Amino acid sequence: MNTNVIQIHKNECIHCQVKSNLSFRPLVEYLKDRLRTEKTVKSEFYRFLLEKIEKNDQLLGNISAQEVAKYKDTLELIFTILTPLMANEEDMFWALSTPIPDEIFFSTNAFYKFFKDHDPKNKVDKTGESLEKRQLRFIYNLILERFYNFKYVLKNEIIYAHVNPETKLTQYYNIQTDTKFVDILHQGDLPEINFQKLGQQFHDNCELEYLTQILPLTNFHFEGFSVISITDVTLQHAIDGIRDALVNHDYQSEAYTHVIQALKTLSGNANLEFGLMPFLTVNNKLIFDSKEFSQSMLINSAKDSSLEEEVFYSLVDKYKENPRAIFVSAINDDQIKKDPFLRVLKEAGVCSYSVLPIFYNTQLAGVLEVYSNQEVVVDDRLLSRLRPSMPLIGQLFQYSIEEFDAKMDEVLMDKFTALQPSVQWKFNEVVWHFLQGNKNKQKLKEIETVTFKHMFPLFGAIDIRNSTIERNKALKDDMEIQLNSLMDTLKALRKKVNLELTDKLLYNCNEWVKRIEDFASSNEESLLNEFLETEVYPFLSIIKASHPDTRTIIDQYFEVIVPETGAAFLNRRQLEISMQLINTEVSQYLEKAQQNLQASYPCYFAKFRTDGVEYDIYIGQEIAPEKPFDLLYLKNIRLWQLTSMVDIARLSKGLIDDMPRHLQTTQLIFVHSNAIDISFRNDERRFDVEGAYNIRYEVVKKRIDKVLIKNTNERLTQPDKIAMVYFHADEAQEYMEYIKYMQVQGHLNDDLELLELDELQGVSGLKALRVGVKYPLPEKQEVASKGNNITEVVLEKQLS
């Protein structure tokens, strides 16, 4: 045992104004009380210790930590009584200190060595409190418990972290203070405490300020001594760390890192590394992604070694049939022959590798990898240390699986279904009614149709100008390149191989060149392909096989007709890239814009891809029953339609320099003032109009994109202009007000046209407004970001 004094808070001043003195009087009172009831042999020990203390009056008064060393034999008796009889003091972290722990005056050798080797600065304090505040909290916890029977939920314990110099792993120790032998004296009457108010102060984390006012420490006096014990809680702290990672971290990044570090601490072996591999599936097929699961050594090694995915899948599928622990203490040639996948691990520098199956609710959720660049035997001792973490890792894997599935569902909902948050509430109601109606019934009823009545429709179309003509022109140009390349190939072959059939094929090619000069439809492409497949390619194949010296010539031709890279598809590729560029930018603009619309009033917004982009918007009271609908919101969204078309026209014009083939867009709005009903068609998974009158709206909007101005051959939709088709004069009047306002703002030209339109099949009386878009900047514009500002500014000014 050791009587050297240890100063706990070195070079630190604790400004806790409380009086205290070291005394063994509380122990004496405790022993006297026990002697009144104790009938066993223990009473002899108590009596002997009591007599020994009472012989030394100094122990009953105020004694310093340095002076108490003279009574080592008495202190050893106290140790014997307060600790288990069979305890070995060389292995036990135990000590006595002043009432408020500041000076340790008696300790086991193990405790003394612990404090000499460990730096108290490594205390783990999640609250970030100062030393003074922690000391104050300790003191007031004692006062509240002794005088008011109020126990704080947190114990008087401190966690210390220490890096083991041998293993380089962090160990954790719990330091607990027992204040059984500390008496607290108070001068004067104790004040009453409003515990409801105190509870609120604890909730607001300002209880100390409150307590120092109503319970000044100058009125208290502490007497006695504290018993301090230290316990190694490394294993429990590691388990708590894994549990904390499940709650407080992002599963795919931080949580995995924290869990792996906790597993290293749990193992107690610095040579071990850990990998986590949850089993994710798409359509019941396992998928692996090194970016998502970089913590798996096997996956990373397989990627680095370019192991075929099918081989990897077969290995895991085979393992899933019989999930079991696999232990390979040393990867050698014999082991690799049995399990070929070990080869990629050995190439990555792994010497030993083990796999432990991880389950969640009895279902295999993934595997835990244990590996090292040294030969390591995974024994029962290691497994017993890791076993408490298995259920938590199973929970982590399940979270990862659920998060992955949620991401899949989110993208599916966003990209492939018509269901949107603005209308999902109605689907939820219908599903709930369906489940209620079928409860406890044998025959299932049909689910009701989701319908929204009295909705105001808006339609807009951004079309690529002359897309069919552009597509046919690109096809014609590519066909000419292909035929010219083929003729060059046949002429080169004629010099090496003397066959009359070569001249016949050259003649046919020339005829095809003339024929495609008047190219009118893609049917010509089919006929040309038929000629090539049945006559030309069999001829080239035979020549290549029988005359090896022609291989280079023929191969060069076939390189020309590779769709992804060949010159014979260049114009079509360029056209597709240009169309994709426009459609992608316009779609992204509309996606962002519709989010802003939803903020003003919920609406249903459906976007469709054609050669360009079309959209339907439905707005009305039934979309948001709890939010009153006003025609103001309809006017707001109509103004947005016009301003957004200006943005989109500027956006597409600004993209021209980035297009391999320059394309232009036209902008069209269909104005329809009457409300209609829409319902969700379960078979087609989309909303559609209801009723004969409402269907007429659908017919009109599908036909107006090619409508002509009355008594002319001019299409209504033109580049650099916005066309608004309508039936009634009051509809035109509303939009003319918007147009005039935007002309003043410098967004539209002063060239408004009022036009009558040709009759469409079953539709007459259509009229249109058409106005030019003003492009204020001669250079390429960054409208993707600035365009939204135009829309927002115009709407803000108009609504104000």
Side-chain angles (χ1 to χ4, degrees):
M1 302 297 290
N2 199 296
T3 55
N4 291 321
V5 175
I6 303 174
Q7 191 74 34
I8 296 178
H9 305 296
K10 297 177 182 178
N11 302 320
E12 291 171 318
C13 181
I14 308 302
H15 300 287
C16 298
Q17 301 300 319
V18 60
K19 300 174 184 177
S20 69
N21 65 274
L22 174 59
S23 171
F24 290 86
R25 189 186 304 277
L27 177 60
V28 169
E29 297 300 325
Y30 172 81
L31 293 173
K32 288 179 178 180
D33 186 60
R34 288 297 302 270
L35 283 172
R36 294 190 188 100
T37 57
E38 187 64 55
K39 304 300 181 183
T40 68
V41 72
K42 289 182 181 179
S43 61
E44 296 301 322
F45 287 99
Y46 295 159
R47 188 172 289 105
F48 180 70
L49 176 59
L50 181 60
E51 292 174 355
K52 196 167 184 61
I53 296 174
E54 288 182 331
K55 286 181 180 178
N56 302 286
D57 293 340
Q58 195 172 3
L59 291 176
L60 299 176
N62 187 355
I63 188 171
S64 69
Q66 288 73 22
E67 291 176 322
V68 80
K70 295 185 296 184
Y71 306 97
K72 184 178 179 182
D73 54 342
T74 303
L75 296 176
E76 288 179 347
L77 280 174
I78 294 174
F79 168 77
T80 303
I81 288 179
L82 297 184
T83 60
L85 186 61
M86 301 301 293
N88 185 352
E89 71 100 0
E90 295 300 326
D91 299 326
M92 191 176 188
F93 301 117
W94 186 93
L96 301 178
S97 80
T98 49
I100 299 174
D102 184 41
E103 292 179 307
I104 293 171
F105 56 84
F106 183 70
S107 61
T108 62
N109 292 333
F111 187 99
Y112 185 80
K113 186 176 186 302
F114 176 90
F115 251 83
K116 288 298 182 182
D117 295 344
H118 297 67
D119 186 357
K121 302 287 186 184
N122 291 333
K123 187 188 305 181
V124 178
D125 179 29
K126 296 182 179 180
T127 64
E129 288 184 331
S130 65
L131 180 60
E132 178 182 354
K133 197 167 186 180
R134 290 196 298 271
Q135 192 83 325
L136 271 174
R137 192 179 300 280
F138 172 84
I139 293 170
Y140 274 113
N141 284 346
L142 284 178
I143 293 173
L144 290 174
E145 182 177 353
R146 295 289 178 87
F147 293 103
Y148 297 94
N149 198 29
F150 180 91
K151 292 187 178 181
Y152 191 49
V153 292
L154 298 180
K155 299 177 182 178
N156 290 327
E157 60 182 28
I158 300 170
I159 302 297
Y160 274 78
H162 169 68
V163 177
N164 189 307
E166 296 180 3
T167 65
K168 306 300 181 184
L169 296 174
T170 304
Q171 293 176 294
Y172 296 91
Y173 298 91
N174 182 0
I175 301 182
Q176 292 181 302
T177 304
D178 185 347
T179 56
K180 181 187 300 182
F181 303 109
V182 175
D183 285 343
I184 308 175
L185 307 175
H186 179 264
Q187 296 177 358
D189 296 331
L190 279 169
E192 292 186 4
I193 294 180
N194 184 336
F195 284 96
Q196 183 176 359
K197 186 174 181 180
L198 178 60
Q200 183 62 43
Q201 300 295 326
F202 272 106
H203 182 270
D204 297 336
N205 198 30
C206 56
E207 73 280 6
L208 293 180
E209 291 80 353
Y210 175 72
L211 290 170
T212 53
Q213 292 178 3
I214 62 173
L215 293 174
L217 292 182
T218 53
N219 295 334
F220 291 92
H221 181 87
F222 283 64
E223 182 182 77
F225 64 92
S226 295
V227 181
I228 299 177
S229 60
I230 301 178
T231 308
D232 188 338
V233 292
T234 301
L235 297 184
Q236 184 57 48
H237 194 274
I239 295 297
D240 290 342
I242 296 175
R243 188 177 288 110
D244 182 64
L246 291 176
V247 177
N248 298 323
H249 298 289
D250 176 36
Y251 303 129
Q252 293 301 328
S253 56
E254 294 183 16
Y256 278 36
T257 303
H258 282 269
V259 168
I260 288 174
Q261 187 57 46
L263 287 172
K264 289 182 180 180
T265 301
L266 204 59
S267 71
N269 188 338
N271 295 321
L272 287 181
E273 299 290 340
F274 294 86
L276 302 173
M277 187 197 304
F279 287 166
L280 306 188
T281 60
V282 173
N283 297 329
N284 295 321
K285 181 180 179 181
L286 286 167
I287 58 100
F288 301 95
D289 188 328
S290 60
K291 293 181 181 178
E292 287 287 328
F293 305 107
S294 58
Q295 296 84 348
S296 170
M297 186 62 188
L298 181 57
I299 289 179
N300 291 334
S301 300
K303 295 282 185 182
D304 293 341
S305 299
S306 301
L307 184 69
E308 294 182 4
E309 286 190 352
E310 283 68 21
V311 176
F312 195 76
Y313 291 149
S314 64
L315 287 171
V316 178
D317 287 338
K318 184 178 179 181
Y319 180 83
K320 286 184 68 178
E321 294 175 1
N322 181 25
R324 67 196 189 285
I326 300 174
F327 305 105
V328 181
S329 58
I331 300 177
N332 50 43
D333 294 339
D334 292 337
Q335 290 285 352
I336 292 174
K337 288 179 182 178
K338 296 178 183 178
D339 298 302
F341 77 90
L342 294 174
R343 175 183 55 82
V344 299
L345 290 169
K346 187 174 182 180
E347 291 174 355
V350 176
C351 292
S352 64
Y353 182 80
S354 299
V355 171
L356 303 175
I358 300 296
F359 296 90
Y360 179 78
N361 286 347
T362 72
Q363 298 294 317
L364 184 65
V367 296
L368 170 65
E369 301 171 310
V370 186
Y371 61 94
S372 176
N373 57 5
Q374 302 178 15
E375 292 187 11
V376 176
V377 176
V378 178
D379 54 17
D380 291 339
R381 178 177 173 275
L382 175 61
L383 290 177
S384 65
R385 293 171 70 95
L386 296 178
R387 191 167 290 114
S389 69
M390 299 299 189
L392 297 176
I393 297 175
Q395 183 71 67
L396 174 66
F397 284 178
Q398 181 64 20
Y399 285 166
S400 297
I401 293 168
E402 291 174 356
E403 185 179 40
F404 174 78
D405 291 343
K407 287 180 181 178
M408 292 283 292
D409 290 342
E410 181 182 355
V411 175
L412 284 170
M413 290 285 289
D414 182 46
K415 303 298 181 183
F416 297 107
T417 72
L419 199 59
Q420 297 178 11
S422 60
V423 296
Q424 186 169 349
W425 65 269
K426 189 66 175 283
F427 286 84
N428 293 341
E429 280 190 356
V430 168
V431 170
W432 174 236
H433 293 159
F434 175 73
L435 294 175
Q436 279 186 311
N438 288 324
K439 192 174 183 180
N440 300 325
K441 292 184 179 180
Q442 293 181 350
K443 186 177 180 180
L444 297 178
K445 68 174 185 178
E446 289 291 329
I447 194 165
E448 63 187 277
T449 302
V450 175
T451 302
F452 293 95
K453 296 184 179 296
H454 204 71
M455 307 300 296
F456 293 95
L458 299 96
F459 172 77
I462 299 92
D463 193 26
I464 294 177
R465 178 65 168 170
N466 297 329
S467 58
T468 302
I469 296 173
E470 290 288 345
R471 190 173 275 110
N472 288 341
K473 184 177 184 302
L475 179 57
K476 173 180 172 293
D477 293 343
D478 283 342
M479 289 168 67
E480 286 181 353
I481 293 172
Q482 183 174 359
L483 287 169
N484 288 328
S485 178
L486 178 57
M487 287 190 292
D488 291 340
T489 300
L490 292 172
K491 289 174 184 177
L493 292 176
R494 188 171 55 182
K495 295 177 181 179
K496 292 181 175 292
V497 182
N498 186 16
L499 289 174
E500 292 186 6
L501 186 56
T502 306
D503 293 326
K504 170 67 168 57
L505 292 175
L506 275 168
Y507 170 78
N508 290 342
C509 289
N510 276 305
E511 289 298 309
W512 269 105
V513 170
K514 296 175 185 177
R515 186 170 174 176
I516 63 174
E517 285 296 329
D518 300 322
F519 182 81
S521 70
S522 58
N523 186 49
E524 299 291 338
E525 181 186 15
S526 300
L527 295 173
L528 174 59
N529 286 335
E530 183 180 348
F531 161 67
L532 295 171
E533 295 287 346
T534 58
E535 297 186 42
V536 176
Y537 296 160
F539 170 79
L540 295 178
S541 179
I542 294 171
I543 294 298
K544 183 178 178 180
S546 57
H547 298 276
D549 57 334
T550 64
R551 180 182 298 273
T552 302
I553 298 172
I554 296 173
D555 285 347
Q556 286 175 348
Y557 166 74
F558 281 105
E559 288 176 4
V560 171
I561 63 172
V562 175
E564 292 79 16
T565 58
F569 285 84
L570 176 63
N571 292 284
R572 278 171 285 183
R573 288 199 305 272
Q574 290 179 340
L575 177 63
E576 186 63 29
I577 290 171
S578 299
M579 294 178 70
Q580 286 280 6
L581 179 61
I582 292 176
N583 288 336
T584 300
E585 293 292 330
V586 171
S587 292
Q588 290 178 352
Y589 172 89
L590 291 174
E591 281 295 328
K592 181 179 179 181
Q594 76 106 353
Q595 294 174 7
N596 295 331
L597 286 179
Q598 301 289 356
S600 60
Y601 194 91
C603 60
Y604 180 77
F605 191 108
K607 181 164 52 68
F608 311 98
R609 290 286 287 268
T610 57
D611 277 348
V613 180
E614 298 178 358
Y615 63 82
D616 280 318
I617 303 176
Y618 300 102
I619 188 171
Q621 184 64 72
E622 286 207 0
I623 285 282
E626 297 184 0
K627 183 174 183 178
F629 176 76
D630 191 277
L631 290 179
L632 168 71
Y633 297 114
L634 178 60
K635 292 182 178 181
N636 177 63
I637 206 168
R638 283 177 173 170
L639 178 56
W640 169 84
Q641 248 195 319
L642 187 58
T643 57
S644 65
M645 286 300 187
V646 173
D647 289 345
I648 290 170
R650 292 179 173 181
L651 171 63
S652 58
K653 189 143 185 112
L655 295 172
I656 286 180
D657 290 342
D658 295 329
M659 299 180 198
R661 289 178 79 91
H662 292 178
L663 301 176
Q664 295 178 299
T665 61
T666 62
Q667 291 69 227
L668 174 65
I669 294 172
F670 179 36
V671 184
H672 188 83
S673 295
N674 296 323
I676 64 175
D677 301 338
I678 61 172
S679 60
F680 189 78
R681 295 186 59 172
N682 294 341
D683 53 344
E684 297 185 11
R685 304 277 175 167
R686 66 179 180 86
F687 277 99
D688 205 351
V689 297
E690 272 194 348
Y693 177 79
N694 296 337
I695 291 175
R696 184 169 179 265
Y697 165 78
E698 283 290 320
V699 171
V700 174
K701 78 175 191 182
K702 288 179 180 178
R703 294 179 180 174
I704 56 176
D705 62 323
K706 294 181 175 59
V707 68
L708 300 178
I709 297 174
K710 195 168 186 177
N711 300 325
T712 71
N713 291 322
E714 181 185 350
R715 289 266 292 271
L716 169 65
T717 54
Q718 296 292 333
D720 305 322
K721 291 183 179 291
I722 301 173
M724 290 145 278
V725 178
Y726 64 93
F727 277 106
H728 307 294
D730 56 341
E731 296 170 337
Q733 186 61 40
E734 179 181 345
Y735 274 84
M736 287 173 68
E737 293 179 9
Y738 301 150
I739 291 170
K740 182 177 180 181
Y741 173 72
M742 293 185 65
Q743 286 172 334
V744 173
Q745 297 298 316
H747 304 312
L748 295 175
N749 292 327
D750 190 15
D751 59 355
L752 177 62
E753 302 172 88
L754 281 73
L755 306 168
E756 292 189 13
L757 305 179
D758 270 354
E759 290 188 5
L760 299 173
Q761 183 180 354
V763 182
S764 60
L766 286 175
K767 299 179 180 63
L769 300 174
R770 190 168 68 180
V771 64
V773 175
K774 181 173 286 187
Y775 301 101
L777 299 176
E779 299 178 357
K780 176 182 171 182
Q781 306 168 52
E782 298 293 335
V783 183
S785 59
K786 296 180 181 178
N788 289 337
N789 293 335
I790 296 172
T791 303
E792 292 164 4
V793 169
V794 170
L795 290 176
E796 184 180 349
K797 289 183 178 179
Q798 183 71 7
L799 292 173
S800 62

